[in-house]
Amino acid sequence: MLGRGVKRKRSCLEELEVEVLPDGARKPDRKQDGGEDREEEAAASLLQQRQVVLGLCLKKLQDDQAGVELSLRRSVLLANTLRQIQEEMWRDRTRGPDRLDPDSCLVRDGFREDVSVTCPGCAEDGCCDAVSPDAPSQDPNGPSDQQKPPPAPAGSTLSDSATGYLSDLALDDIFEDIDTSMYETSDLPWSCGGGALWPLGVSLWPEENLKPPSLSSGGGLQSCLMDLNDLDYIIEILVKS
Amino acid sequence: MEEESDTRKINNSFLRDHNYATEADIISTVEFNSTGELLATGDKGGRVVVFQREQESKTQPHRRGEYNVYSTFQSHEPEFDYLKSLEIEEKINKIKWLPQQNAAYFLLSTNDKTVKLWKISERDKRPEGYNLKDEDGRIRDPSTITSLRVPVLQPMDLMVEATARRVFSNAHTYHINSISVNSDLQTFISTDDLRVNLWNLEITDRSFNIVDIKPANMEELTEVITSAEFHPQHCHTFAYSSSKGSMRLCDMRQAALCDRHSKYFEEPEDPSTRSFFSEIISSISDVKFSHNGRYLMTRDYLTVKVWDLQMENKPLETYQVHDYLRGKLCSLYENDCIFDKFECVWNGSDSVIMTGSYNNFFRMFDRNTKRDVTLEASRENSKPRAILKPRKVCVGGKRRKDEISVDSLDFSKKILHTTWHPHENIIAVAATNNLYIFQDKVN
């Protein structure tokens, strides 16, 4: 992407792009025995791409807030992309780690449904069940907000229903079993557990005078996401203290 | 020695300022007028430069009507919105000409917030022989005047002056992305991200809002308006495009507020090509009616589509502009190129369509022969009056000698704005801060 003749390293993004090319571009001569491994690899790299895109999306939205009023079109497109990714992560979680949403962007032809894929950061079924939209014992406002996926801007309507939603859950149960080994060892700067992202709020509409999320006052994106592991931080954003 | 060092200092500071000036020189819009005699460009610095075509002369036939600078004026100045603490850019987003009705030329130019009507007129005569003031303009002492004379118009050097005749302001909360003059020549629309406003060219303190897609709760906003245009013949019909890849045709006779469309154009998404970027690349960046009013052309990130106004469920024709970028969407998302807004144009007979791409490439598609060509607007690769050589992008495998590989494309050189002469095969292409004018070769 630089000027002609300028050397540059093959970026990790380009590696991901090569792996996630549409079917037409894939080499057709996949052997049957190695097929399963390759499909698992492809699934993992698609998940990785999703994390990368998610991280980029968040970073762009935060940068946009920081200064000049950039175009509304750009903000809306970024927010929609973010919403789409988080919807997929919801669907993956509610189906359990061994089933993927057939409508998901991750599913391509030839991808078998019974391939076991671990949703990053969500090693336990307990975590999935706790945030399932099908859970019956919720506040009346709860389900509608669970259908509407995050991010909801901080200080928005989510806070009222979120209070009711949280009060029905034992918060310790949600977070005690999360495998945090991903955070320590991951190579990607933006990798994070799906669970830690749900309370993420991004305010897109400065003219509406919404309180900007506490996240933007921090340092880089990575430190912000690391902070999300802190339970107090999560509750503060949800409940609008 | 001292003088030399002074000169060096001056040269250095000039070079530094030159970089700044280059930023303001970035061309942000180009437009031929309805006869093709004039070509207007707007730039990031708020200036409008108008070129006029030379009369073809028999003595110099090879200078087949070249375009020379006719008028330059500062259309918009940077402003500051004190309420929001935000700067309002002076960049000219769009220029639209009004058809010529007398000796003067009129055009509408707009930045993010304000539309202005400019009158460009020539002055080649000057009154001379005033009684009360002398030739320098100084007032004469009345007691020295012994006789009266009638001032006479004397020829003078041609002067082209531009005056702002109307300023249409304070009607847009969001950024204006397009303007379109109605075929009735009395009204025009200005469009921002969420609203379309109808103006009368004579009235600046009032406009009618005819489309409003702002939701009651801004957090529910998922779609914005990206472009709008009046039908070339039907003064009650206009179309607007959205960031979700759909287009709506509206009839102003149906209701005062045209929130209900009369036609809705959208192609269902192909599930096999769905990705995280599907919505972003489906966002329509430009919509143009054909000259005959039967078709609509839309440009999204990777394709140009021609729609028949009678068929809403799918386009008539789809042309791939640079499909080799489909595998690069993640990188283009990272460097923000995926948000670039390319324009598209019809030729005079609606048989050829043209749009820009990266690396200073632009593409033309012949709708009848289905042939397409990629050309480059660059000084290094083409001499003046040389025939443009078709370019080819190599997508994989072996690269031939003249081909360029996808990885070598320069994504900072993008051709977003192009325009086509209304009758002849003359095109103007804006490549960052350079304007290229190409015409058919002389036989």
Side-chain angles (χ1 to χ4, degrees), chain B residues 48-61:
Chain B
V48 172
V49 180
V50 179
F51 298 83
Q52 187 187 42
R53 196 175 186 192
E54 273 181 358
Q55 298 297 330
E56 296 187 19
S57 76
K58 294 195 173 62
T59 53
Q60 290 185 313

Side-chain angles (χ1 to χ4, degrees), chain A residues 1-4 8 11 13-14 16-18 21-23 46 49-50 52-53 56-58 60 67-74 76-81 83-85 88 91 103-109 148 153 156-157 190 205 207-208 210, chain B residues 84 86-87 113 173-175 193-194 214 217-224 226 243-244 272 274-277 279-280 283-285 326-336 338-341 359 361 376 381 391 404 407-412:
Chain A
M1 306 295 154
L2 303 174
R4 289 184 193 170
R8 71 227 181 276
S11 75
L13 284 172
E14 288 182 24
L16 289 173
E17 277 164 354
V18 169
L21 278 175
D23 281 343
L46 284 167
Q49 192 200 32
R50 184 168 76 182
V52 168
V53 175
L56 280 173
C57 207
L58 293 170
K60 285 177 191 298
V68 185
E69 182 190 19
L70 284 174
S71 84
L72 190 62
R73 167 184 170 260
R74 181 188 145 94
V76 166
L77 289 173
L78 287 170
N80 289 351
T81 308
R83 196 174 292 127
Q84 182 190 342
I85 292 175
E88 267 189 32
R91 282 200 293 261
D103 295 331
S104 160
C105 292
L106 301 183
V107 178
R108 303 278 185 255
D109 290 345
K148 178 178 110 176
S156 73
T157 54
W190 311 292
W205 324 120
E207 69 266 19
E208 304 292 317
L210 292 172
Chain B
K84 293 186 196 173
L86 288 168
E87 208 180 81
K113 297 286 185 180
T173 310
Y174 304 98
H175 291 177
D193 293 313
L194 298 179
K214 183 179 176 188
N217 183 0
M218 275 295 274
E219 278 122 49
E220 290 164 23
L221 180 67
T222 57
E223 191 174 11
V224 298
T226 52
S243 57
K244 284 202 169 168
S272 68
R274 189 161 173 255
S275 76
F276 302 116
F277 311 109
E279 187 183 315
I280 300 180
S283 170
I284 294 176
S285 51
R326 199 177 284 273
K328 298 253 170 234
L329 290 179
C330 205
S331 305
L332 294 164
Y333 178 77
E334 189 193 21
N335 64 17
D336 278 349
I338 206 173
F339 297 105
D340 285 336
K341 293 194 294 181
N359 208 72
F361 287 170
E376 183 178 0
N381 291 333
R391 305 305 307 266
I404 180 168
D407 293 320
S408 308
L409 293 174
D410 188 343
F411 289 85
S412 66

Side-chain angles (χ1 to χ4, degrees), chain B residues 9-227:
Chain B
K9 275 189 216 156
I10 292 167
N11 282 341
N12 285 340
S13 63
F14 174 74
L15 283 170
R16 261 183 268 122
D17 288 342
H18 187 253
N19 287 334
Y20 172 77
T22 306
E23 170 89 4
D25 290 339
I26 294 175
I27 298 171
S28 48
T29 186
V30 283
E31 188 83 5
F32 276 107
N33 76 336
S34 51
T35 60
E37 181 202 352
L38 298 179
L39 173 67
T41 63
D43 65 23
K44 213 168 171 211
R47 283 168 306 205
V48 172
V49 180
V50 179
F51 298 83
Q52 187 187 42
R53 196 175 186 192
E54 273 181 358
Q55 298 297 330
E56 296 187 19
S57 76
K58 294 195 173 62
T59 53
Q60 290 185 313
H62 66 278
R63 288 176 70 88
R64 201 169 146 260
E66 285 195 352
Y67 285 84
N68 301 315
V69 177
Y70 178 63
S71 170
T72 304
F73 56 93
Q74 187 74 33
S75 171
H76 287 71
E77 298 277 1
E79 286 170 43
F80 196 76
D81 181 341
Y82 293 98
L83 202 61
K84 293 186 196 173
S85 263
L86 288 168
E87 208 180 81
I88 300 171
E89 273 194 311
E90 67 274 32
K91 172 169 73 91
I92 307 296
N93 292 335
K94 281 281 148 60
I95 290 175
K96 285 283 147 79
W97 290 94
L98 268 60
Q100 198 176 2
Q101 290 175 304
N102 52 33
Y105 304 103
F106 287 88
L107 61 79
L108 286 172
S109 73
T110 186
N111 69 348
D112 284 338
K113 297 286 185 180
T114 304
V115 185
K116 294 189 185 180
L117 176 70
W118 287 90
K119 175 182 175 183
I120 301 164
S121 49
E122 292 180 6
R123 190 195 290 261
D124 61 354
K125 294 185 189 51
R126 182 181 62 199
E128 279 178 22
Y130 282 102
N131 291 293
L132 293 176
K133 53 181 180 178
D134 61 24
E135 295 311 313
D136 297 330
R138 279 186 300 232
I139 308 289
R140 288 169 71 188
D141 179 2
S143 59
T144 64
I145 301 171
T146 52
S147 62
L148 289 178
R149 55 186 177 171
V150 178
V152 178
L153 287 174
Q154 298 288 356
M156 60 178 257
D157 290 338
L158 179 68
M159 198 169 76
V160 182
E161 31 182 38
T163 44
R165 303 295 296 184
R166 306 270 188 278
V167 178
F168 306 91
S169 56
N170 297 323
H172 287 281
T173 310
Y174 304 98
H175 291 177
I176 297 175
N177 51 54
S178 44
I179 47 176
S180 177
V181 182
N182 202 348
S183 51
D184 65 8
L185 305 184
Q186 293 179 356
T187 54
F188 71 94
I189 48 174
S190 57
T191 308
D192 67 31
D193 293 313
L194 298 179
R195 298 187 176 105
V196 181
N197 291 335
L198 179 72
W199 302 82
N200 184 302
L201 282 163
E202 301 295 325
I203 300 170
T204 59
D205 61 356
R206 214 178 315 152
S207 79
F208 292 97
N209 174 243
I210 55 176
V211 175
D212 188 341
I213 65 167
K214 183 179 176 188
N217 183 0
M218 275 295 274
E219 278 122 49
E220 290 164 23
L221 180 67
T222 57
E223 191 174 11
V224 298
I225 301 173
T226 52
S227 187

Side-chain angles (χ1 to χ4, degrees), chain B residues 22 25-27 30 41 51 360 377-380 413-415 417 428-437:
Chain B
T22 306
D25 290 339
I26 294 175
I27 298 171
V30 283
T41 63
F51 298 83
N360 280 348
S378 120
R379 261 184 296 214
E380 292 95 35
K413 294 188 179 162
K414 46 193 96 170
I415 292 184
H417 314 289
V429 169
T432 319
N433 54 350
N434 293 312
L435 180 70
Y436 291 84
I437 301 177

Side-chain angles (χ1 to χ4, degrees), chain A:
Chain A
M1 306 295 154
L2 303 174
R4 289 184 193 170
V6 178
K7 289 187 183 171
R8 71 227 181 276
K9 289 182 193 169
R10 185 174 163 80
S11 75
C12 66
L13 284 172
E14 288 182 24
E15 284 176 5
L16 289 173
E17 277 164 354
V18 169
E19 287 168 17
V20 302
L21 278 175
D23 281 343
R26 277 207 191 144
K27 294 193 177 120
D29 54 351
R30 260 206 313 219
K31 290 189 181 152
Q32 204 55 34
D33 354 325
E36 224 182 88
D37 292 337
R38 233 163 283 168
E39 282 175 7
E40 277 191 30
E41 272 178 34
S45 73
L46 284 167
L47 283 172
Q48 207 183 17
Q49 192 200 32
R50 184 168 76 182
Q51 296 288 43
V52 168
V53 175
L54 177 60
L56 280 173
C57 207
L58 293 170
K59 182 170 187 298
K60 285 177 191 298
L61 282 167
Q62 287 195 330
D63 286 348
D64 284 359
Q65 284 185 53
V68 185
E69 182 190 19
L70 284 174
S71 84
L72 190 62
R73 167 184 170 260
R74 181 188 145 94
S75 305
V76 166
L77 289 173
L78 287 170
N80 289 351
T81 308
L82 188 64
R83 196 174 292 127
Q84 182 190 342
I85 292 175
Q86 293 195 332
E87 270 175 8
E88 267 189 32
M89 290 169 100
W90 269 107
R91 282 200 293 261
D92 288 351
R93 188 156 297 130
T94 58
R95 276 174 166 74
D98 57 345
R99 289 181 68 79
L100 284 183
D101 179 9
D103 295 331
S104 160
C105 292
L106 301 183
V107 178
R108 303 278 185 255
D109 290 345
F111 191 92
R112 298 202 306 260
E113 263 191 73
D114 54 355
V115 170
S116 170
V117 176
T118 305
C119 177
C122 188
E124 292 297 317
D125 284 351
C127 173
C128 293
D129 292 341
V131 298
S132 162
D134 298 326
S137 61
Q138 299 303 328
D139 200 73
N141 291 332
S144 61
D145 270 311
Q146 289 165 59
Q147 303 306 335
K148 178 178 110 176
S156 73
T157 54
L158 185 63
S159 58
D160 295 335
S161 40
T163 319
Y165 163 68
L166 282 177
S167 66
D168 292 336
L169 302 168
L171 287 166
D172 292 335
D173 285 347
I174 301 173
F175 296 107
E176 71 176 319
D177 291 329
I178 286 184
D179 173 22
T180 58
S181 58
M182 275 288 289
Y183 308 123
E184 283 94 358
T185 58
S186 167
D187 291 328
L188 290 175
W190 311 292
S191 78
C192 47
L197 280 177
W198 300 129
L200 193 62
V202 180
S203 176
L204 296 176
W205 324 120
E207 69 266 19
E208 304 292 317
N209 293 323
L210 292 172
K211 193 177 92 169
S214 335
L215 299 168
S216 60
S217 58
L221 182 67
Q222 187 176 4
S223 61
C224 291
L225 292 172
M226 290 309 189
D227 286 343
L228 287 178
N229 294 331
D230 191 323
L231 190 59
D232 293 342
Y233 213 97
I234 295 168
I235 293 177
E236 182 189 326
I237 293 168
L238 273 178
V239 174
K240 191 192 166 185
S241 62

